[in-house]
Every structure is written in structure tokens, then in C-alpha cells.
Amino acid sequence: MIIMGIETSCDDTGISIIEAKGRKSPSFRILANNIASQIEIHQKYGGVYPNMAKREHETNLPIVVSKALKKAKLDPLHPALDALAITYGPGLSPCLWAGLNKAQELTKQWNVPLIPTNHMEGHLLISLFLGSPKRGLGIPKPRLGNILPALALLVSGGHTQLIFVSALGKYKLLGETRDDAAGECFDKTARVLGLPYPGGPAISQQAQLCETNIYKLRLPRPMISTKDYDFSFSGLKTAVLYDWKSRSKKVRESTVYTQEMAKEIQKAIIEVLVQKTLKAAHRYSAKAIILGGGVGANKLLRNTLLKETKKFGMRFLVAPPEFCTDNGAMIAVAGYATWLRSGFKKHKHIEAQPNLSL
Ligand code: KG4
Ligand code: ZN
């Protein structure tokens, strides 16, 4: 089955075309994966403004769709697609609507069925089906029986969730953030330090450059030892802000302070994520840990989870970094899984659902 995935839930316009096969152990081939990023525009404002992002999606969508069709060598007017998968939530309402409106227009124009898809399931499934700790997509192809039950850590700009995956489509939310998401914490603390948006890559880059330990910074590890599987990251942002405010202008603007703070921020966030993920994986006897979402692109998080899972003989599945951040391929993959579960349904009108849960 040839599926086009359309992703516009935040600030990336992602279009991908994939070939999907099989039922019990599905396999995928990516024929095209095109993205128009709005980072440069949102960098000026230090974050994403939904209505501005929506306008950008509307401008970018036709261009990225054409590019993807060309890359996949499909007819631009009558592409031989079997389905179109679209993110209908969770995400920023105006952005979701931009994608939904375009998708509904294209399904009519091309006469193909539309599959409404959950963005978080996309993050989970692209790592489950196409992830391996090494670079490259889908090698080796995992057999579902060797992976499930699994524990998924989904970490993005809007979500931080621990999910027990007992079977394809059977998800149980074990815990989530009570305030800011992990990605949001990276973004907000980066802003305090005067680093660009998005904060995750900027903090991780600064942390890697750090070779000193002059300020002996020690941030809290919020909720690291609580019995539940919830998270809280807003206190971390406050702690960074207090420390930053207590420093002189000269220190605040120094490279050494910025790098040491970036290193400690990254360490604090990752220690909490890893400890809670491992605790849940043991408690639920998971065969594998699946890492998904934009923060999953973080090298230290990937390396730490790889090392820890090896110790306990668990598998570790994570998509390559560029498929952890938002993209159309994850939506096409989740669209295929949705179709496997429930086939094509007739949808008269699909509404955007900004708070959709798994
Ligand atoms: O999944 P995603 O692309 O969009 C949402 O669904 O929110 O995640 C974006 C988030 C941002 O907060 C960004 O700072 C973070 O992922 N991120 C990272 C890295 N790359 C992106 N965080 C830490 N390290 C990274 N390398
Ligand atoms: Zn996302």
C-alpha cells in the first residue's frame, strides 16, 4: 500500500510517501520524505506563534506535496496513492486545521481515502517499526514478538509520557508530565540563557562544548524518586532562572557559564527521564524500550538508554534523529497501523483535536 503522510501539528510541514506491507510484522519503505521547517521564522520570536505557523503551513503545503510526489516519481495530478494519512491531534489547533483542510481537499481531488492519525502514535510507531539504535532505517527488522510488551518514552515539545505497549494499538498511559514537557523545558531554559529556538539542539550543542566545572552547578532532579511514573519540569526552569538572576552580567554572558549550565540542564532532564523509564520497564517486564519524539534526537539520552537496556538484556528502538522530530513518515506509518486496526472508515468531516490522547 502506498500512503502519503501529512504532518502540520506544530512548526514543521512534513510530507512523506511510504510503501507499507504485511500485517503481522509490517515493513515499510520510505519513497519520499520532505520537510519545510519554520525554525528561522520562529527563532526571531523565541517560540512558535500558532497563527503565524498556520499561515506558513498553508504556503508550504502545496510546495512540499509537489516535491514529495516528484521524489517518489508519482504523477502530480493523479498520483497512484492508496491512502492519505493526516495528523488530527494532538497539536496546535490552527496548525492542525491547516493540514486537515489541505488533506480533505487532496482526498477529493485524487479520490483516495483519508486516515485520521494520532501524532503521538506516529512518534511511537516510527521508532518501533523503523528504529534501531544504529543509524539507518528499519535494520534489522524487528519481529513484534521480540519487542512486545514494550515501554515507550515519548518526549516532545508538548508531551512527556510513559506508555505501556502490550500490543499494536493497545496503549496504557502510565505517567506523564504534570506541567512542562521535557522539550518545553529545553526550549524555556535555552531562552533564559539566550540560546536560540529550538532549545534542545542548542543546549545539547553547548553541553558538548563544556570542558570546565567552575560554577559547580547543581539543579534539582524533579520527581526522580517518586513512586509514580509522572514528571514535572517547570521547577527546573525556575531553578535555572534563579541561578541566572543571581549572577553578574559578565558571568551570565560568559561562554563558560552558558556551557556549564547547558550541561547541567541536559543532565538533570535526562537523569529523570532515564531513571523513570527504567523503573517502569522493569515493573512491567518490558522486552524493549521505545524512544520517540523530538527530544529522542538527543545524543546523550539515546546513548544512555542504549547502555542501560544492554545491561538488562532489553532491546532499544529509536528512529534516526531526523525521524524523531516531526515528519510526515511517522504519520504515514501510524496511518497504516490505523488502517490495519479498523480499515478505511467513511469520514464526512474530521475535526482537529488539539488534546487528543493515545
Ligand atoms: O516532536 P517534536 O519535533 O515536536 C513536537 O511534537 O513538539 O519535538 C520538538 C522538541 C523541541 O522542544 C526541541 O527542543 C526538542 O524536541 N529537541 C531536542 C533535540 N532536538 C529537538 N531536545 C533535546 N535534544 C535534541 N537534540
Ligand atoms: Zn512531535
Side-chain angles (χ1 to χ4, degrees):
M1 183 188 268
I2 309 284
I3 306 174
M4 174 183 277
I6 303 184
E7 159 58 36
T8 64
S9 70
C10 189
D11 59 344
D12 290 305
T13 315
I15 307 287
S16 182
I17 299 167
I18 65 160
E19 186 184 13
K21 280 185 192 158
R23 281 191 164 262
K24 279 198 173 139
S25 272
S27 66
F28 301 90
R29 202 157 65 91
I30 294 179
L31 309 177
N33 185 55
N34 293 73
I35 291 182
S37 163
Q38 303 177 10
I39 283 180
E40 269 180 37
I41 293 161
H42 300 301
Q43 258 175 357
K44 281 190 218 147
Y45 304 93
V48 180
Y49 281 86
N51 284 318
M52 200 188 294
K54 175 192 177 218
R55 279 197 300 274
E56 285 300 309
H57 283 308
E58 285 167 350
T59 311
N60 292 337
L61 272 163
I63 303 166
V64 192
V65 166
S66 309
K67 277 189 184 162
L69 289 173
K70 196 170 173 195
K71 180 83 208 308
K73 299 193 172 67
L74 292 178
D75 184 322
L77 293 177
H78 306 285
L81 292 168
D82 297 298
L84 227 153
I86 174 74
T87 309
Y88 75 113
L92 302 170
S93 182
C95 299
L96 291 168
W97 274 115
L100 263 175
N101 288 337
K102 185 69 188 175
Q104 309 210 51
E105 176 196 315
L106 290 177
T107 50
K108 274 193 203 127
Q109 196 178 320
W110 295 336
N111 195 25
V112 288
L114 187 62
I115 313 173
T117 305
N118 185 309
H119 181 84
M120 297 315 286
E121 188 177 24
H123 276 309
L124 197 164
L125 292 184
I126 191 133
S127 282
L128 191 158
F129 284 125
L130 300 168
S132 86
K134 301 205 185 78
R135 277 202 70 85
L137 283 172
I139 7 167
K141 291 238 162 45
R143 288 176 146 272
L144 285 181
N146 296 332
I147 295 171
L148 303 176
L151 199 282
L153 170 66
L154 302 184
V155 266
S156 68
H159 293 79
T160 302
Q161 299 180 322
L162 275 173
I163 289 159
F164 180 62
V165 186
S166 52
L168 259 196
K170 288 212 163 149
Y171 310 119
K172 183 181 171 198
L173 180 68
L174 303 180
E176 61 186 333
T177 185
R178 294 184 182 176
D179 39 57
D180 291 353
E184 197 176 354
C185 185
F186 273 113
D187 295 338
K188 285 180 174 171
T189 53
R191 211 171 158 176
V192 173
L193 297 178
L195 296 172
Y197 173 85
I203 295 252
S204 133
Q205 200 183 13
Q206 290 299 312
Q208 264 179 338
L209 295 171
C210 180
E211 287 174 341
T212 53
N213 188 16
I214 294 168
Y215 296 100
K216 306 271 182 290
L217 300 167
R218 176 74 193 170
L219 293 170
R221 273 45 175 174
M223 296 185 70
I224 195 162
S225 307
T226 55
K227 286 211 174 85
D228 52 34
Y229 299 110
D230 283 347
F231 300 92
S232 163
F233 290 108
S234 71
L236 208 51
K237 170 200 66 197
T238 315
V240 172
L241 188 62
Y242 277 163
D243 190 275
W244 185 85
K245 277 189 175 167
S246 73
R247 308 284 174 179
S248 68
K249 190 167 181 285
K250 196 172 155 210
V251 170
R252 283 179 194 174
E253 288 173 0
S254 72
T255 318
V256 171
Y257 176 75
T258 307
Q259 290 177 353
E260 287 189 10
M261 187 53 107
K263 190 172 177 181
E264 177 61 11
I265 292 167
Q266 178 171 256
K267 219 169 146 215
I269 296 174
I270 285 167
E271 270 179 34
V272 177
L273 292 176
V274 169
Q275 187 154 322
K276 288 233 148 153
T277 303
L278 288 173
K279 194 174 96 171
H282 290 310
R283 162 71 181 78
Y284 285 84
S285 306
K287 288 185 189 162
I289 288 179
I290 301 164
L291 173 62
V295 180
N298 186 281
K299 223 174 169 177
L300 181 66
L301 178 58
R302 300 165 76 93
N303 289 344
T304 315
L305 280 176
L306 176 61
K307 213 164 70 195
E308 292 296 326
T309 44
K310 251 190 192 158
K311 256 193 231 166
F312 300 108
M314 269 180 231
R315 279 169 189 266
F316 176 51
L317 295 167
V318 61
E322 63 273 28
F323 287 94
C324 282
T325 47
D326 292 349
N327 62 84
M330 66 188 230
I331 299 310
V333 168
Y336 185 66
T338 309
W339 174 78
L340 283 180
R341 279 201 294 273
S342 45
F344 293 128
K345 285 187 180 161
K346 280 243 174 286
H347 300 281
K348 263 208 174 125
H349 189 70
I350 303 164
E351 297 268 328
Q353 294 193 29
N355 300 314
L356 183 68
S357 56
L358 252 185

